[in-house]
Amino acid sequence: MAADGKVLEITDTNFGEEVRDRDELSMVDFWAAWCGPCRLIAPLIEQLAEDYADRGLRVGKLDVDSNPQTASQFGVRSIPTVLFFRNGVVVDKVVGAVPRPHLEEKIKQHLAA
């Protein structure tokens, strides 16, 4: 997420710069345009990016069809998959379209860590 609370577009090319090389908590939504559950949680991801922008959460979305290298690197086989990174390391994972409180609980847990 940029400083203004917008969701970053994460790609195979910019993953290192935007996620791996950062020490802040990053939440990356692995999705595809044809995926119904992905479209279902998209507004939720955007809202969380806005709500937690001032608390140190970076939020990005990675289209698995356009960026297969990063998706494969992290073993993403089902979408939507939301991975939480700190210092370039996966610290948590949520698979499937889950309700906001589930993702929010993970965010709060890792921001407090």
Side-chain angles (χ1 to χ4, degrees):
M1 145 222 86
D4 59 3
K6 299 289 186 244
V7 176
L8 294 167
E9 181 181 346
I10 305 296
T11 65
D12 286 344
T13 306
N14 73 3
F15 180 82
E17 172 188 340
E18 296 293 354
V19 179
R20 187 185 58 234
D21 300 340
R22 302 281 183 148
D23 57 0
E24 304 101 324
L25 180 65
S26 297
M27 180 175 84
V28 180
D29 175 24
F30 289 76
W31 71 287
W34 50 264
C35 167
C38 298
R39 289 194 307 272
L40 187 67
I41 70 164
L44 172 73
I45 298 293
E46 291 171 17
Q47 189 61 54
L48 288 168
E50 287 182 33
D51 293 351
Y52 286 87
D54 61 347
R55 300 189 212 176
L57 178 69
R58 295 174 55 80
V59 178
K61 293 174 70 74
L62 182 136
D63 181 337
V64 298
D65 289 336
S66 302
N67 302 283
Q69 180 181 335
T70 303
S72 175
Q73 177 182 352
F74 292 102
V76 174
R77 291 181 179 80
S78 299
I79 52 173
T81 290
V82 176
L83 297 181
F84 293 86
F85 294 87
R86 187 179 293 283
N87 296 316
V89 176
V90 176
V91 295
D92 215 333
K93 175 181 186 174
V94 175
V95 178
V98 298
R100 178 185 171 113
H102 187 78
L103 286 173
E104 208 160 17
E105 182 182 316
K106 299 280 189 185
I107 292 167
K108 289 177 180 175
Q109 173 188 343
H110 292 292
L111 283 177

